[in-house]
Amino acid sequence: MKIALLEPIGVTREIVESYGERLREMGHEFCYYDTLWENTEELKKRSEGCDIAMIANHPYPQEVIEASDKLKMISVAFTGIDHVGTACCKEKDIMVCNAAGYSNQTVAELIIGFAVDALRNVVKADAVVRQQGTSAGIGGREICGRTVGIIGLGQIGTMAARLFQAFGARVIAYNRSQSEEKKDLGITYCSLDEVLEQSDIISLNLPLNNETRGFISREKIAKMKPDAVFINCARGPIVDNKALADALNEDRLGFACIDVFDCEPPIPEDYPLLHAKNTVLTPHQAFISEESMKRRAEIVFRNVFSYLEGAPQNVCKL
């Protein structure tokens, strides 16, 4: 089979080649692109003749999949697959496997970092020092004793909940289903309205799909406490980000820490959150760490080996 890694996945070429050599020893053709494609036509050329395509978090659209006549499997070096033309994959019976779990720790740690930053004014304090200021008025608040609301209690949401508990926070959560195991961790399930209304810190950890797009609406934002901290390390389109910016600018919400937007960075200059008060913005980096990139590479190649051995893993429902 022809197997191609179509874009970089954040590890050294030596690591990629070590996996590639194993595939060649099994009798397969393997090629690797260490730059991102510039346009759809280039992506089509890279995909030409591939039985298995390996991608990361950049769009792999329907028109490319339609043009790839031999494609049988896509191994996605990412947890979400909303950037893949899955409808076309389903129509052509192309298997899609993801890299579930690789970034759980990394994302959860950034969520905690965001909360500390927002409550203790870290970014603001840095600016104060550089302007010859003092600590007057910027001491902030503790996580300990506060109520943290987790919206979406999957693997990342659960890990974030446990880290918040280690700080001494009370954790409540909204999720479509409930787990006795997570109740045993001391997490209290609540309605969405209760989470929005009671939480001092809210962490959004839902996947992006047709049901969650626009889920955090203007009306839901209005239910949050006026001094609450809202954290989004999930997906940008789950939130009405214009409404979020308005709430911040009108002092109806305390702070927002945002890693994901309605588009991939670079973000347009007129994007509302860029001009909102009391924000910390990062360029979709929550999933990136030295450790997570190595885990991701291992999983995405293991998906390929498992598929070739007839025992596919991490298969996504399309």
Side-chain angles (χ1 to χ4, degrees), residues 19-46:
Y19 290 114
E21 190 56 34
R22 286 177 58 189
L23 290 169
R24 295 185 188 106
E25 289 173 357
M26 294 169 66
H28 302 289
E29 178 185 351
F30 175 75
C31 60
Y32 165 49
Y33 296 89
D34 58 6
T35 59
L36 187 63
W37 54 84
E38 293 186 0
N39 51 55
T40 302
E41 290 305 312
E42 182 182 351
L43 181 55
K44 286 181 180 179
K45 289 180 181 178
R46 293 187 183 190

PDB file of all heavy atoms in Angstrom, residues 19-46:
ATOM      1  N   TYR A  19       9.267   5.274  12.233  1.00  0.00           N
ATOM      2  CA  TYR A  19       8.002   4.597  11.948  1.00  0.00           C
ATOM      3  C   TYR A  19       7.908   4.232  10.468  1.00  0.00           C
ATOM      4  O   TYR A  19       7.437   3.144  10.102  1.00  0.00           O
ATOM      5  CB  TYR A  19       6.820   5.496  12.322  1.00  0.00           C
ATOM      6  CG  TYR A  19       6.640   5.701  13.805  1.00  0.00           C
ATOM      7  CD1 TYR A  19       6.826   6.952  14.382  1.00  0.00           C
ATOM      8  CD2 TYR A  19       6.256   4.654  14.631  1.00  0.00           C
ATOM      9  CE1 TYR A  19       6.639   7.163  15.750  1.00  0.00           C
ATOM     10  CE2 TYR A  19       6.068   4.848  15.998  1.00  0.00           C
ATOM     11  CZ  TYR A  19       6.268   6.106  16.549  1.00  0.00           C
ATOM     12  OH  TYR A  19       6.085   6.295  17.892  1.00  0.00           O
ATOM     13  N   GLY A  20       8.358   5.168   9.601  1.00  0.00           N
ATOM     14  CA  GLY A  20       8.305   4.916   8.172  1.00  0.00           C
ATOM     15  C   GLY A  20       9.118   3.708   7.759  1.00  0.00           C
ATOM     16  O   GLY A  20       8.708   2.938   6.871  1.00  0.00           O
ATOM     17  N   GLU A  21      10.262   3.521   8.402  1.00  0.00           N
ATOM     18  CA  GLU A  21      11.109   2.384   8.069  1.00  0.00           C
ATOM     19  C   GLU A  21      10.418   1.071   8.401  1.00  0.00           C
ATOM     20  O   GLU A  21      10.524   0.076   7.655  1.00  0.00           O
ATOM     21  CB  GLU A  21      12.439   2.487   8.818  1.00  0.00           C
ATOM     22  CG  GLU A  21      13.488   1.489   8.368  1.00  0.00           C
ATOM     23  CD  GLU A  21      13.787   1.577   6.878  1.00  0.00           C
ATOM     24  OE1 GLU A  21      13.744   2.686   6.310  1.00  0.00           O
ATOM     25  OE2 GLU A  21      14.045   0.512   6.277  1.00  0.00           O
ATOM     26  N   ARG A  22       9.669   1.055   9.495  1.00  0.00           N
ATOM     27  CA  ARG A  22       8.913  -0.158   9.845  1.00  0.00           C
ATOM     28  C   ARG A  22       7.877  -0.472   8.771  1.00  0.00           C
ATOM     29  O   ARG A  22       7.678  -1.643   8.410  1.00  0.00           O
ATOM     30  CB  ARG A  22       8.227   0.025  11.187  1.00  0.00           C
ATOM     31  CG  ARG A  22       9.146  -0.046  12.379  1.00  0.00           C
ATOM     32  CD  ARG A  22       8.395   0.229  13.667  1.00  0.00           C
ATOM     33  NE  ARG A  22       7.286  -0.706  13.874  1.00  0.00           N
ATOM     34  CZ  ARG A  22       6.369  -0.566  14.829  1.00  0.00           C
ATOM     35  NH1 ARG A  22       6.421   0.488  15.644  1.00  0.00           N
ATOM     36  NH2 ARG A  22       5.390  -1.450  14.952  1.00  0.00           N
ATOM     37  N   LEU A  23       7.227   0.559   8.255  1.00  0.00           N
ATOM     38  CA  LEU A  23       6.238   0.345   7.189  1.00  0.00           C
ATOM     39  C   LEU A  23       6.903  -0.186   5.922  1.00  0.00           C
ATOM     40  O   LEU A  23       6.364  -1.082   5.247  1.00  0.00           O
ATOM     41  CB  LEU A  23       5.504   1.657   6.892  1.00  0.00           C
ATOM     42  CG  LEU A  23       4.543   2.143   7.983  1.00  0.00           C
ATOM     43  CD1 LEU A  23       4.080   3.567   7.690  1.00  0.00           C
ATOM     44  CD2 LEU A  23       3.340   1.215   8.099  1.00  0.00           C
ATOM     45  N   ARG A  24       8.070   0.358   5.592  1.00  0.00           N
ATOM     46  CA  ARG A  24       8.786  -0.119   4.396  1.00  0.00           C
ATOM     47  C   ARG A  24       9.229  -1.570   4.568  1.00  0.00           C
ATOM     48  O   ARG A  24       9.180  -2.360   3.615  1.00  0.00           O
ATOM     49  CB  ARG A  24       9.985   0.788   4.128  1.00  0.00           C
ATOM     50  CG  ARG A  24       9.593   2.231   3.761  1.00  0.00           C
ATOM     51  CD  ARG A  24      10.809   3.062   3.376  1.00  0.00           C
ATOM     52  NE  ARG A  24      10.441   4.474   3.227  1.00  0.00           N
ATOM     53  CZ  ARG A  24      10.748   5.426   4.097  1.00  0.00           C
ATOM     54  NH1 ARG A  24      11.446   5.125   5.195  1.00  0.00           N
ATOM     55  NH2 ARG A  24      10.371   6.667   3.886  1.00  0.00           N
ATOM     56  N   GLU A  25       9.646  -1.915   5.781  1.00  0.00           N
ATOM     57  CA  GLU A  25      10.049  -3.300   6.048  1.00  0.00           C
ATOM     58  C   GLU A  25       8.878  -4.260   5.898  1.00  0.00           C
ATOM     59  O   GLU A  25       9.073  -5.453   5.598  1.00  0.00           O
ATOM     60  CB  GLU A  25      10.633  -3.405   7.459  1.00  0.00           C
ATOM     61  CG  GLU A  25      11.997  -2.750   7.602  1.00  0.00           C
ATOM     62  CD  GLU A  25      12.475  -2.716   9.042  1.00  0.00           C
ATOM     63  OE1 GLU A  25      11.697  -3.155   9.939  1.00  0.00           O
ATOM     64  OE2 GLU A  25      13.598  -2.252   9.294  1.00  0.00           O
ATOM     65  N   MET A  26       7.663  -3.734   6.083  1.00  0.00           N
ATOM     66  CA  MET A  26       6.462  -4.552   5.912  1.00  0.00           C
ATOM     67  C   MET A  26       6.045  -4.640   4.440  1.00  0.00           C
ATOM     68  O   MET A  26       5.051  -5.278   4.117  1.00  0.00           O
ATOM     69  CB  MET A  26       5.316  -3.960   6.735  1.00  0.00           C
ATOM     70  CG  MET A  26       5.531  -4.027   8.244  1.00  0.00           C
ATOM     71  SD  MET A  26       4.307  -3.037   9.187  1.00  0.00           S
ATOM     72  CE  MET A  26       2.785  -3.928   8.829  1.00  0.00           C
ATOM     73  N   GLY A  27       6.800  -3.945   3.573  1.00  0.00           N
ATOM     74  CA  GLY A  27       6.527  -4.016   2.143  1.00  0.00           C
ATOM     75  C   GLY A  27       5.675  -2.894   1.595  1.00  0.00           C
ATOM     76  O   GLY A  27       5.213  -2.959   0.451  1.00  0.00           O
ATOM     77  N   HIS A  28       5.458  -1.840   2.386  1.00  0.00           N
ATOM     78  CA  HIS A  28       4.625  -0.729   1.957  1.00  0.00           C
ATOM     79  C   HIS A  28       5.476   0.462   1.525  1.00  0.00           C
ATOM     80  O   HIS A  28       6.640   0.601   1.939  1.00  0.00           O
ATOM     81  CB  HIS A  28       3.684  -0.311   3.091  1.00  0.00           C
ATOM     82  CG  HIS A  28       2.807  -1.420   3.571  1.00  0.00           C
ATOM     83  ND1 HIS A  28       1.755  -1.920   2.823  1.00  0.00           N
ATOM     84  CD2 HIS A  28       2.838  -2.154   4.722  1.00  0.00           C
ATOM     85  CE1 HIS A  28       1.158  -2.893   3.495  1.00  0.00           C
ATOM     86  NE2 HIS A  28       1.797  -3.055   4.648  1.00  0.00           N
ATOM     87  N   GLU A  29       4.894   1.319   0.720  1.00  0.00           N
ATOM     88  CA  GLU A  29       5.543   2.566   0.317  1.00  0.00           C
ATOM     89  C   GLU A  29       5.143   3.657   1.308  1.00  0.00           C
ATOM     90  O   GLU A  29       3.964   3.817   1.617  1.00  0.00           O
ATOM     91  CB  GLU A  29       5.088   2.948  -1.090  1.00  0.00           C
ATOM     92  CG  GLU A  29       5.663   4.271  -1.599  1.00  0.00           C
ATOM     93  CD  GLU A  29       5.097   4.678  -2.951  1.00  0.00           C
ATOM     94  OE1 GLU A  29       4.386   3.858  -3.579  1.00  0.00           O
ATOM     95  OE2 GLU A  29       5.353   5.822  -3.367  1.00  0.00           O
ATOM     96  N   PHE A  30       6.133   4.396   1.803  1.00  0.00           N
ATOM     97  CA  PHE A  30       5.849   5.472   2.748  1.00  0.00           C
ATOM     98  C   PHE A  30       6.559   6.746   2.323  1.00  0.00           C
ATOM     99  O   PHE A  30       7.741   6.729   1.987  1.00  0.00           O
ATOM    100  CB  PHE A  30       6.301   5.096   4.160  1.00  0.00           C
ATOM    101  CG  PHE A  30       6.142   6.226   5.156  1.00  0.00           C
ATOM    102  CD1 PHE A  30       4.888   6.562   5.640  1.00  0.00           C
ATOM    103  CD2 PHE A  30       7.242   6.976   5.579  1.00  0.00           C
ATOM    104  CE1 PHE A  30       4.732   7.613   6.542  1.00  0.00           C
ATOM    105  CE2 PHE A  30       7.096   8.018   6.476  1.00  0.00           C
ATOM    106  CZ  PHE A  30       5.838   8.342   6.962  1.00  0.00           C
ATOM    107  N   CYS A  31       5.810   7.852   2.305  1.00  0.00           N
ATOM    108  CA  CYS A  31       6.426   9.152   2.044  1.00  0.00           C
ATOM    109  C   CYS A  31       5.931  10.165   3.064  1.00  0.00           C
ATOM    110  O   CYS A  31       4.868   9.992   3.672  1.00  0.00           O
ATOM    111  CB  CYS A  31       6.145   9.625   0.622  1.00  0.00           C
ATOM    112  SG  CYS A  31       4.401   9.837   0.216  1.00  0.00           S
ATOM    113  N   TYR A  32       6.708  11.221   3.244  1.00  0.00           N
ATOM    114  CA  TYR A  32       6.465  12.187   4.321  1.00  0.00           C
ATOM    115  C   TYR A  32       6.707  13.594   3.809  1.00  0.00           C
ATOM    116  O   TYR A  32       7.729  13.862   3.164  1.00  0.00           O
ATOM    117  CB  TYR A  32       7.414  11.863   5.481  1.00  0.00           C
ATOM    118  CG  TYR A  32       7.556  12.939   6.526  1.00  0.00           C
ATOM    119  CD1 TYR A  32       6.443  13.561   7.099  1.00  0.00           C
ATOM    120  CD2 TYR A  32       8.821  13.314   6.984  1.00  0.00           C
ATOM    121  CE1 TYR A  32       6.587  14.535   8.078  1.00  0.00           C
ATOM    122  CE2 TYR A  32       8.975  14.289   7.966  1.00  0.00           C
ATOM    123  CZ  TYR A  32       7.853  14.900   8.505  1.00  0.00           C
ATOM    124  OH  TYR A  32       7.999  15.860   9.468  1.00  0.00           O
ATOM    125  N   TYR A  33       5.747  14.482   4.066  1.00  0.00           N
ATOM    126  CA  TYR A  33       5.873  15.892   3.695  1.00  0.00           C
ATOM    127  C   TYR A  33       6.099  16.702   4.970  1.00  0.00           C
ATOM    128  O   TYR A  33       5.307  16.624   5.913  1.00  0.00           O
ATOM    129  CB  TYR A  33       4.610  16.374   2.980  1.00  0.00           C
ATOM    130  CG  TYR A  33       4.370  15.679   1.657  1.00  0.00           C
ATOM    131  CD1 TYR A  33       3.633  14.492   1.597  1.00  0.00           C
ATOM    132  CD2 TYR A  33       4.881  16.197   0.479  1.00  0.00           C
ATOM    133  CE1 TYR A  33       3.413  13.852   0.391  1.00  0.00           C
ATOM    134  CE2 TYR A  33       4.657  15.560  -0.740  1.00  0.00           C
ATOM    135  CZ  TYR A  33       3.930  14.392  -0.773  1.00  0.00           C
ATOM    136  OH  TYR A  33       3.714  13.753  -1.965  1.00  0.00           O
ATOM    137  N   ASP A  34       7.171  17.473   4.986  1.00  0.00           N
ATOM    138  CA  ASP A  34       7.502  18.234   6.196  1.00  0.00           C
ATOM    139  C   ASP A  34       7.111  19.703   6.095  1.00  0.00           C
ATOM    140  O   ASP A  34       7.546  20.533   6.891  1.00  0.00           O
ATOM    141  CB  ASP A  34       8.988  18.106   6.533  1.00  0.00           C
ATOM    142  CG  ASP A  34       9.894  18.565   5.408  1.00  0.00           C
ATOM    143  OD1 ASP A  34       9.383  19.096   4.396  1.00  0.00           O
ATOM    144  OD2 ASP A  34      11.120  18.403   5.533  1.00  0.00           O
ATOM    145  N   THR A  35       6.273  20.024   5.116  1.00  0.00           N
ATOM    146  CA  THR A  35       5.709  21.364   4.992  1.00  0.00           C
ATOM    147  C   THR A  35       4.200  21.242   4.784  1.00  0.00           C
ATOM    148  O   THR A  35       3.710  20.219   4.287  1.00  0.00           O
ATOM    149  CB  THR A  35       6.302  22.139   3.804  1.00  0.00           C
ATOM    150  OG1 THR A  35       6.036  21.413   2.591  1.00  0.00           O
ATOM    151  CG2 THR A  35       7.808  22.329   3.971  1.00  0.00           C
ATOM    152  N   LEU A  36       3.473  22.297   5.147  1.00  0.00           N
ATOM    153  CA  LEU A  36       2.031  22.302   4.916  1.00  0.00           C
ATOM    154  C   LEU A  36       1.755  22.643   3.461  1.00  0.00           C
ATOM    155  O   LEU A  36       2.493  23.414   2.842  1.00  0.00           O
ATOM    156  CB  LEU A  36       1.378  23.338   5.835  1.00  0.00           C
ATOM    157  CG  LEU A  36      -0.150  23.364   5.858  1.00  0.00           C
ATOM    158  CD1 LEU A  36      -0.706  22.049   6.394  1.00  0.00           C
ATOM    159  CD2 LEU A  36      -0.650  24.531   6.700  1.00  0.00           C
ATOM    160  N   TRP A  37       0.722  22.048   2.900  1.00  0.00           N
ATOM    161  CA  TRP A  37       0.352  22.358   1.520  1.00  0.00           C
ATOM    162  C   TRP A  37      -0.124  23.795   1.400  1.00  0.00           C
ATOM    163  O   TRP A  37      -0.623  24.396   2.345  1.00  0.00           O
ATOM    164  CB  TRP A  37      -0.746  21.398   1.043  1.00  0.00           C
ATOM    165  CG  TRP A  37      -1.952  21.361   1.928  1.00  0.00           C
ATOM    166  CD1 TRP A  37      -3.020  22.195   1.930  1.00  0.00           C
ATOM    167  CD2 TRP A  37      -2.218  20.417   2.987  1.00  0.00           C
ATOM    168  NE1 TRP A  37      -3.925  21.853   2.889  1.00  0.00           N
ATOM    169  CE2 TRP A  37      -3.470  20.762   3.561  1.00  0.00           C
ATOM    170  CE3 TRP A  37      -1.523  19.307   3.487  1.00  0.00           C
ATOM    171  CZ2 TRP A  37      -4.025  20.040   4.598  1.00  0.00           C
ATOM    172  CZ3 TRP A  37      -2.086  18.593   4.536  1.00  0.00           C
ATOM    173  CH2 TRP A  37      -3.319  18.959   5.079  1.00  0.00           C
ATOM    174  N   GLU A  38       0.051  24.373   0.202  1.00  0.00           N
ATOM    175  CA  GLU A  38      -0.324  25.774  -0.012  1.00  0.00           C
ATOM    176  C   GLU A  38      -1.742  25.941  -0.518  1.00  0.00           C
ATOM    177  O   GLU A  38      -2.350  26.992  -0.337  1.00  0.00           O
ATOM    178  CB  GLU A  38       0.655  26.426  -0.998  1.00  0.00           C
ATOM    179  CG  GLU A  38       2.075  26.546  -0.434  1.00  0.00           C
ATOM    180  CD  GLU A  38       2.992  27.320  -1.358  1.00  0.00           C
ATOM    181  OE1 GLU A  38       2.517  27.764  -2.442  1.00  0.00           O
ATOM    182  OE2 GLU A  38       4.173  27.487  -1.017  1.00  0.00           O
ATOM    183  N   ASN A  39      -2.293  24.906  -1.167  1.00  0.00           N
ATOM    184  CA  ASN A  39      -3.638  24.999  -1.710  1.00  0.00           C
ATOM    185  C   ASN A  39      -4.217  23.600  -1.886  1.00  0.00           C
ATOM    186  O   ASN A  39      -3.518  22.587  -1.708  1.00  0.00           O
ATOM    187  CB  ASN A  39      -3.647  25.767  -3.042  1.00  0.00           C
ATOM    188  CG  ASN A  39      -2.628  25.220  -4.017  1.00  0.00           C
ATOM    189  OD1 ASN A  39      -2.630  24.025  -4.325  1.00  0.00           O
ATOM    190  ND2 ASN A  39      -1.724  26.079  -4.498  1.00  0.00           N
ATOM    191  N   THR A  40      -5.477  23.545  -2.245  1.00  0.00           N
ATOM    192  CA  THR A  40      -6.170  22.267  -2.371  1.00  0.00           C
ATOM    193  C   THR A  40      -5.588  21.408  -3.481  1.00  0.00           C
ATOM    194  O   THR A  40      -5.509  20.176  -3.356  1.00  0.00           O
ATOM    195  CB  THR A  40      -7.671  22.507  -2.623  1.00  0.00           C
ATOM    196  OG1 THR A  40      -8.211  23.278  -1.541  1.00  0.00           O
ATOM    197  CG2 THR A  40      -8.434  21.193  -2.720  1.00  0.00           C
ATOM    198  N   GLU A  41      -5.178  22.025  -4.566  1.00  0.00           N
ATOM    199  CA  GLU A  41      -4.609  21.251  -5.679  1.00  0.00           C
ATOM    200  C   GLU A  41      -3.335  20.539  -5.255  1.00  0.00           C
ATOM    201  O   GLU A  41      -3.095  19.393  -5.648  1.00  0.00           O
ATOM    202  CB  GLU A  41      -4.349  22.164  -6.875  1.00  0.00           C
ATOM    203  CG  GLU A  41      -5.616  22.665  -7.557  1.00  0.00           C
ATOM    204  CD  GLU A  41      -6.544  21.540  -7.980  1.00  0.00           C
ATOM    205  OE1 GLU A  41      -6.056  20.571  -8.608  1.00  0.00           O
ATOM    206  OE2 GLU A  41      -7.743  21.614  -7.661  1.00  0.00           O
ATOM    207  N   GLU A  42      -2.510  21.215  -4.458  1.00  0.00           N
ATOM    208  CA  GLU A  42      -1.295  20.562  -3.969  1.00  0.00           C
ATOM    209  C   GLU A  42      -1.643  19.399  -3.057  1.00  0.00           C
ATOM    210  O   GLU A  42      -1.002  18.342  -3.095  1.00  0.00           O
ATOM    211  CB  GLU A  42      -0.413  21.567  -3.235  1.00  0.00           C
ATOM    212  CG  GLU A  42       0.893  20.957  -2.740  1.00  0.00           C
ATOM    213  CD  GLU A  42       1.764  21.917  -1.956  1.00  0.00           C
ATOM    214  OE1 GLU A  42       1.445  23.132  -1.926  1.00  0.00           O
ATOM    215  OE2 GLU A  42       2.754  21.458  -1.358  1.00  0.00           O
ATOM    216  N   LEU A  43      -2.670  19.576  -2.233  1.00  0.00           N
ATOM    217  CA  LEU A  43      -3.099  18.496  -1.350  1.00  0.00           C
ATOM    218  C   LEU A  43      -3.609  17.306  -2.150  1.00  0.00           C
ATOM    219  O   LEU A  43      -3.356  16.147  -1.794  1.00  0.00           O
ATOM    220  CB  LEU A  43      -4.175  19.008  -0.389  1.00  0.00           C
ATOM    221  CG  LEU A  43      -4.724  18.009   0.634  1.00  0.00           C
ATOM    222  CD1 LEU A  43      -3.612  17.399   1.464  1.00  0.00           C
ATOM    223  CD2 LEU A  43      -5.757  18.694   1.539  1.00  0.00           C
ATOM    224  N   LYS A  44      -4.303  17.581  -3.238  1.00  0.00           N
ATOM    225  CA  LYS A  44      -4.765  16.490  -4.107  1.00  0.00           C
ATOM    226  C   LYS A  44      -3.591  15.710  -4.666  1.00  0.00           C
ATOM    227  O   LYS A  44      -3.607  14.474  -4.718  1.00  0.00           O
ATOM    228  CB  LYS A  44      -5.608  17.052  -5.256  1.00  0.00           C
ATOM    229  CG  LYS A  44      -6.996  17.505  -4.872  1.00  0.00           C
ATOM    230  CD  LYS A  44      -7.742  18.018  -6.106  1.00  0.00           C
ATOM    231  CE  LYS A  44      -9.142  18.492  -5.751  1.00  0.00           C
ATOM    232  NZ  LYS A  44      -9.864  19.016  -6.938  1.00  0.00           N
ATOM    233  N   LYS A  45      -2.542  16.416  -5.075  1.00  0.00           N
ATOM    234  CA  LYS A  45      -1.358  15.753  -5.637  1.00  0.00           C
ATOM    235  C   LYS A  45      -0.667  14.902  -4.575  1.00  0.00           C
ATOM    236  O   LYS A  45      -0.207  13.786  -4.856  1.00  0.00           O
ATOM    237  CB  LYS A  45      -0.401  16.792  -6.201  1.00  0.00           C
ATOM    238  CG  LYS A  45      -0.901  17.454  -7.482  1.00  0.00           C
ATOM    239  CD  LYS A  45       0.096  18.474  -8.006  1.00  0.00           C
ATOM    240  CE  LYS A  45      -0.432  19.148  -9.268  1.00  0.00           C
ATOM    241  NZ  LYS A  45       0.506  20.179  -9.782  1.00  0.00           N
ATOM    242  N   ARG A  46      -0.576  15.433  -3.349  1.00  0.00           N
ATOM    243  CA  ARG A  46       0.043  14.664  -2.277  1.00  0.00           C
ATOM    244  C   ARG A  46      -0.759  13.399  -1.975  1.00  0.00           C
ATOM    245  O   ARG A  46      -0.198  12.366  -1.586  1.00  0.00           O
ATOM    246  CB  ARG A  46       0.162  15.509  -1.007  1.00  0.00           C
ATOM    247  CG  ARG A  46       1.130  16.671  -1.115  1.00  0.00           C
ATOM    248  CD  ARG A  46       1.312  17.363   0.237  1.00  0.00           C
ATOM    249  NE  ARG A  46       2.188  18.529   0.138  1.00  0.00           N
ATOM    250  CZ  ARG A  46       2.668  19.212   1.166  1.00  0.00           C
ATOM    251  NH1 ARG A  46       2.338  18.856   2.393  1.00  0.00           N
ATOM    252  NH2 ARG A  46       3.460  20.255   0.991  1.00  0.00           N
TER     253      ARG A  46
END
